[in-house]
Amino acid sequence: MGTSRSYDDACPIARALDVVGERWALLVIRELLLGPQRFSDLRRALPGASTNILTDRLRELEKHGLVRQDRLPPPAASRVYELTERGNELTPALEALGAWGAPIPAPDGRPGLSAVSMLLFLRGCLRTHPDPPTGVYCIQLDERIWTILAGESGAAVEPGDSASPDATLRTDPWTLNTLIADPTRLESAIASPAAEAGGDVASLRRLLEAASETGGGSTALRYPRR
Amino acid sequence: MGTSRSYDDACPIARALDVVGERWALLVIRELLLGPQRFSDLRRALPGASTNILTDRLRELEKHGLVRQDRLPPPAASRVYELTERGNELTPALEALGAWGAPIPAPDGRPGLSAVSMLLFLRGCLRTHPDPPTGVYCIQLDERIWTILAGESGAAVEPGDSASPDATLRTDPWTLNTLIADPTRLESAIASPAAEAGGDVASLRRLLEAASETGGGSTALRYPRR
DNA sequence: CCGCATCCGTTTCGATACTG
DNA sequence: CAGTATCGAAACGGATGCGG
């Protein structure tokens, strides 16, 4: 059943793969890196994974202590999945894997691109920028709102909105990717139904330009090298 | 056939997993991290992988440019597989995964333990030691000979023997693991058929003690944190 | 022996439909 | 919304065979 086959190998790499080596497992972890997600959020972010596989992986990751299930306070009677501390410790491994995978061309057609992977990319760009912009931004992607806290000491991305953002943006992950690849398209995107902006748009544009300078120059989504 | 299913996801983590995410792929890479290996070496190192799977993975890794096949010079009419530069660049990701997997208890029974994973562990211990010993050691594991070059600037492990080692050791990966966990067993191991030593045994013992101090203290094989 | 191909039983995956 | 049930397709794992 949920019993995954073991490599039966004492090497720590093999032991790690016994836990997170199955198909979709690491992408589920990726989706939880920026905060809790509901089952349906994961389903939208990973459309290639069928519901039974998603359930299997979540149960297994829960069993191994990487993922925890939480009930939200009364108003929202929904459950969310979130990473435990142990699950969060996979961050360096996922970043290293992403850095290695960055040069690989994206698959043909219109590949999927989740809000989380897009935001991870944006955060990575800002963190490696020599002179990052500062500000608070609320970005709505796929019906979910995220807050970007950009400062000189680093950049953070959190789920939920902020009381007083410098600027707001509503769009989809793919459009955001093109905007980081070419920030000059911001005005035309806002003029189209693909995006909508509010607040200090000039500040928003500086955010996109900073991201563009460190890694977004190419069309393909990339994670910056460390 | 060899056509692996794609995640169809533009995220670089997903793109990396499209290449190395299939079962056994990353463990094949691990086995090649210290140098070329023959098909039969890989087969011995990964006894759980059947020959057709091994062939499939090598073909696929070759197709993606991570692995290259080489013919050895005439005396040995055998072929070897080795990592390309691109394949070698997975080292940080594998180290991060190994560091994460280190706390996971080894599977029950007598789990496999390849010479390469043992030597990767030893090298990692030496590299994180604050005051590493220096010397050249030839270690024979599972009928293959490796040279350990330990110096203040770091430690290296290479396939093949050395002209003038300070000490030599012949044993199996599991015994070497126990010797790093408890170097005081060196003498009794040499007295048994499980190990055989030559040259400066005191120097060899200092090597084991250094490894023991940084990560070998527990019974389980571990990779040091960075 | 080495490298690989083929056959076959079992497990896992993926798509759809369905339920609390 | 959050899963469960079902079923065909693919991948995996083990054994065997075959040309160097």
Side-chain angles (χ1 to χ4, degrees):
Chain A
M1 294 280 194
T3 306
S4 60
R5 277 174 297 206
S6 169
Y7 286 110
D8 197 38
D9 188 322
C11 167
I13 296 172
R15 300 209 300 270
L17 291 172
D18 278 341
V19 176
V20 297
E22 278 173 306
R23 196 163 169 75
W24 296 107
L26 282 175
L27 296 188
V28 170
I29 308 273
R30 178 198 76 188
E31 283 304 309
L32 298 176
L33 283 180
L34 292 182
Q37 301 267 57
R38 290 171 301 176
F39 189 88
S40 53
D41 296 326
L42 298 173
R43 185 153 169 54
R44 166 171 4 209
L46 304 170
S50 48
T51 56
N52 50 3
I53 291 293
L54 219 42
T55 304
D56 276 6
R57 291 299 164 269
L58 286 166
R59 292 283 168 279
E60 196 164 344
L61 294 174
E62 209 176 341
K63 191 183 72 180
H64 286 104
L66 285 76
V67 164
R68 175 182 37 229
Q69 204 172 161
D70 258 22
R71 276 179 193 285
L72 290 186
S78 182
R79 275 165 290 185
V80 292
Y81 295 92
E82 63 184 342
L83 288 184
T84 63
E85 179 56 27
R86 175 72 180 151
N88 222 20
E89 286 167 359
L90 268 171
T91 302
L94 283 170
E95 283 177 345
L97 206 59
W100 185 85
I104 302 172
D108 291 340
R110 196 151 307 240
L113 180 52
S114 79
V116 169
S117 62
M118 196 59 234
L119 291 165
L120 285 170
F121 170 53
L122 177 57
R123 188 182 69 176
C125 289
L126 296 176
R127 284 183 175 172
T128 58
H129 196 279
D131 181 29
T134 64
V136 178
Y137 307 87
C138 284
I139 300 194
Q140 182 176 343
L141 293 170
D142 288 341
E143 311 301 307
R144 284 203 53 167
I145 297 177
W146 308 81
T147 296
I148 298 176
L149 301 158
E152 282 140 28
S153 60
V157 177
E158 299 171 356
D161 56 356
S162 164
S164 54
D166 294 302
T168 63
L169 177 67
R170 182 202 49 75
T171 183
D172 61 279
W174 192 262
T175 301
L176 181 53
N177 189 33
T178 67
L179 290 179
I180 291 177
D182 180 8
T184 65
R185 297 191 199 174
L186 177 58
E187 281 71 21
S188 67
I190 293 175
S192 80
E196 184 180 347
D200 185 356
V201 177
S203 174
L204 186 60
R205 177 150 177 177
R206 284 194 296 277
L207 182 78
L208 295 173
E209 284 166 349
S212 181
E213 286 162 16
T214 61
S218 97
T219 304
L221 179 70
R222 288 170 174 271
Y223 280 1
R225 324 289 171 100
R226 289 268 120 177
Chain B
M1 292 280 195
T3 307
S4 60
R5 278 174 296 204
S6 167
Y7 285 110
D8 196 38
D9 190 322
C11 167
I13 296 172
R15 300 209 301 268
L17 291 173
D18 278 341
V19 176
V20 297
E22 278 172 306
R23 196 162 169 76
W24 295 107
L26 282 176
L27 296 188
V28 170
I29 308 273
R30 178 197 76 188
E31 283 304 308
L32 298 176
L33 282 180
L34 292 181
Q37 301 266 57
R38 291 170 301 176
F39 190 88
S40 53
D41 296 326
L42 298 174
R43 184 153 170 54
R44 174 181 350 220
L46 305 170
S50 49
T51 58
N52 50 2
I53 291 294
L54 220 42
T55 303
D56 276 6
R57 290 300 166 269
L58 286 167
R59 290 283 162 278
E60 197 164 344
L61 293 173
E62 209 176 342
K63 191 183 72 180
H64 286 104
L66 284 75
V67 164
R68 175 181 37 228
Q69 205 173 163
D70 258 21
R71 276 181 194 285
L72 290 186
S78 183
R79 276 166 290 186
V80 291
Y81 296 91
E82 64 184 341
L83 288 185
T84 63
E85 179 55 26
R86 175 71 180 149
N88 223 16
E89 286 167 359
L90 267 171
T91 303
L94 283 171
E95 283 177 345
L97 206 58
W100 186 84
I104 303 172
D108 290 339
R110 196 150 309 239
L113 179 52
S114 78
V116 169
S117 62
M118 197 58 234
L119 290 165
L120 285 170
F121 170 53
L122 177 57
R123 188 181 71 174
C125 288
L126 296 176
R127 284 182 175 175
T128 58
H129 196 279
D131 181 29
T134 64
V136 178
Y137 307 88
C138 284
I139 299 194
Q140 182 176 344
L141 293 170
D142 289 341
E143 314 299 309
R144 284 203 53 168
I145 297 178
W146 308 82
T147 297
I148 297 175
L149 301 159
E152 281 140 26
S153 61
V157 177
E158 299 170 355
D161 56 357
S162 165
S164 55
D166 294 300
T168 64
L169 177 67
R170 181 201 52 73
T171 184
D172 61 280
W174 193 261
T175 300
L176 180 54
N177 189 34
T178 67
L179 290 180
I180 291 176
D182 180 9
T184 65
R185 298 192 199 174
L186 177 58
E187 280 72 22
S188 66
I190 294 175
S192 80
E196 183 180 348
D200 185 355
V201 176
S203 173
L204 186 61
R205 177 150 178 175
R206 284 194 295 277
L207 182 80
L208 295 173
E209 284 167 349
S212 180
E213 286 161 17
T214 61
S218 96
T219 305
L221 178 71
R222 287 170 174 272
Y223 280 0
R225 323 289 171 100
R226 291 266 117 177

